[in-house]
Amino acid sequence: LAKTTQPISMDSYEGQEVNITCSHNNIATNDYITWYQQFPSQGPRFIIQGYKTKVTNEVASLFIPADRKSSTLSLPRVSLSDTAVYYCLAGSGGYQKVTFGTGTKLQVIP
Amino acid sequence: DAMVIQNPRYQVTQFGKPVTLSCSQTLNHNVMYWYQQKSSQAPKLLFHYYDKDFNNEADTPDNFQSRRPNTSFCFLDIRSPGLGDAAMYLCATSSNRPPSAVHGRERANIQYFGAGTRLSVL
């Protein structure tokens, strides 16, 4: 299982773009990078997943460089409701166990 | 529209009194997981079922057991809860459908979590 490393916490003002970087130096060839969001007293929720280059959905963008040893979750124009913990995971498709890293606690400031 | 449902949301038990937490899913996923999450920590995998096959994590205490009577339901039994077992317990499901050979065309395993059960031990 690839180990991931993220900043423990980040602060951002409302309306700004937030970029959270995740390091996964020992990522395997078959591993995908998946990001989850967790609000207090709720279960984690899938945000976005990618294998390489760039993936964008209605919530976020995910940038993965060619060497795939890191990835960056980009949240456009954050609002107060984006205050949450964001987890980056690396694992293969199909049946898998995952290990949650420490996550990044994002605090959006008015 | 909840797809993974955990009951109850809050559970209070006494020290040493057995307690059961339940999880049900409408996704027809073949893999179900139980995580323990303590305050300000990441979720920690306790065990998972791949279909009916039970897979225990090496460091999961014997005090924790699980049952999966059918695809839709999974239970977490804590035989003798201690004060250190107070936590949020999260159930998750996933399908073991692998990603396509063309990377990015299909999503790899994504876990769908319930809202969790917060367990207090008095």
Side-chain angles (χ1 to χ4, degrees), chain B residues 8 19 40 45 47 69 72-74 102-103 117:
Chain B
V19 65
S40 300
L45 183 64
F47 27 60
S72 300
F73 287 87
C74 196
V102 179
H103 294 295
T117 295

Side-chain angles (χ1 to χ4, degrees), chain A residues 24-58:
Chain A
H24 27 79
N25 288 318
N26 61 337
I27 191 168
T29 302
N30 292 330
D31 284 349
Y32 281 67
I33 297 106
T34 309
W35 286 79
Y36 291 85
Q37 175 192 56
Q38 186 177 26
F39 296 115
S41 298
Q42 294 188 27
R45 181 177 72 109
F46 169 82
I47 299 177
I48 198 167
Q49 183 179 76
Y51 183 80
K52 61 181 177 181
T53 63
K54 178 183 175 181
V55 178
T56 298
N57 62 21
E58 63 278 5

Side-chain angles (χ1 to χ4, degrees), chain A residues 77-95:
Chain A
R77 300 181 59 81
V78 295
S79 64
L80 295 176
S81 63
D82 293 318
T83 294
V85 178
Y86 293 82
Y87 292 100
C88 164
L89 289 81
S92 62
Y95 160 68

Side-chain angles (χ1 to χ4, degrees), chain A residues 36 38 41 49 94-96 101, chain B residues 9 33 37 42 48 108-109 111:
Chain A
Y36 291 85
Q38 186 177 26
S41 298
Q49 183 179 76
Y95 160 68
Q96 69 169 14
Chain B
R9 289 296 313 277
Y33 310 79
Q37 186 175 27
H48 67 276
N109 182 320
Q111 295 193 18

